[in-house]
Amino acid sequence: IAFGEIEVQEQRYDYDVVIDGGKVRKRKKSPSKQYRDEHGHTPLSIKEEIPWGGGQLIVGTGAYGRLPILPEIRQEAERRGVKLVAVPTEEACRLLRDLKPKDAYAILHTTC
């Protein structure tokens, strides 16, 4: 991967992606944009389509780990019994390599 770019299942993306049980889709950030001014970046909020289907949700927080994650995400993960792993995106990709596609639930930020 490179800054602003990510590779998932041998496909390159130049935008944030969501992996939901191995299926990859573009992250729709617009529901979280209302919090952008407050955080300096568009944070991850509960208003987005979060892939809660597995026992673990991996959040790649960007090249420098700067993606803000709102507290409501952590609270919802705890309520659902989902382990939330928030690490820089490069490390998140390493963690995902060890999973079977059907067990992969993640949100990967490609910049900052």
Side-chain angles (χ1 to χ4, degrees):
I1 64 172
F3 189 84
E5 186 176 271
I6 194 161
E7 187 174 312
V8 179
Q9 299 172 350
E10 299 180 18
Q11 181 81 28
R12 288 191 176 257
Y13 300 91
D14 60 358
Y15 48 81
D16 292 4
V17 298
V18 174
I19 302 171
D20 193 347
K23 294 186 183 351
V24 181
R25 62 179 156 85
K26 184 175 186 174
R27 174 183 169 213
K28 294 178 183 160
K29 299 189 246 184
S30 54
S32 297
K33 287 202 177 196
Q34 62 184 323
Y35 306 110
R36 183 184 175 115
D37 289 343
E38 190 179 330
H39 296 277
H41 299 284
T42 302
L44 184 60
S45 82
I46 202 74
K47 295 185 179 204
E48 293 183 38
E49 292 179 45
I50 307 296
W52 294 115
Q56 173 177 264
L57 174 63
I58 298 171
V59 178
T61 57
Y64 308 112
R66 294 189 182 145
L67 173 70
I69 300 172
L70 296 187
E72 61 200 22
I73 293 285
R74 295 180 196 286
Q75 293 162 354
E76 184 64 14
E78 189 173 315
R79 187 185 77 74
R80 291 173 176 259
V82 172
K83 179 182 178 188
L84 181 65
V85 178
V87 294
T89 300
E90 190 172 337
E91 186 176 339
C93 290
R94 282 195 296 272
L95 294 172
L96 287 165
R97 277 188 215 120
D98 295 336
L99 298 176
K100 293 177 181 163
K102 69 176 182 65
D103 296 329
Y105 294 87
I107 299 170
L108 303 173
H109 183 56
T110 59
T111 59
C112 74

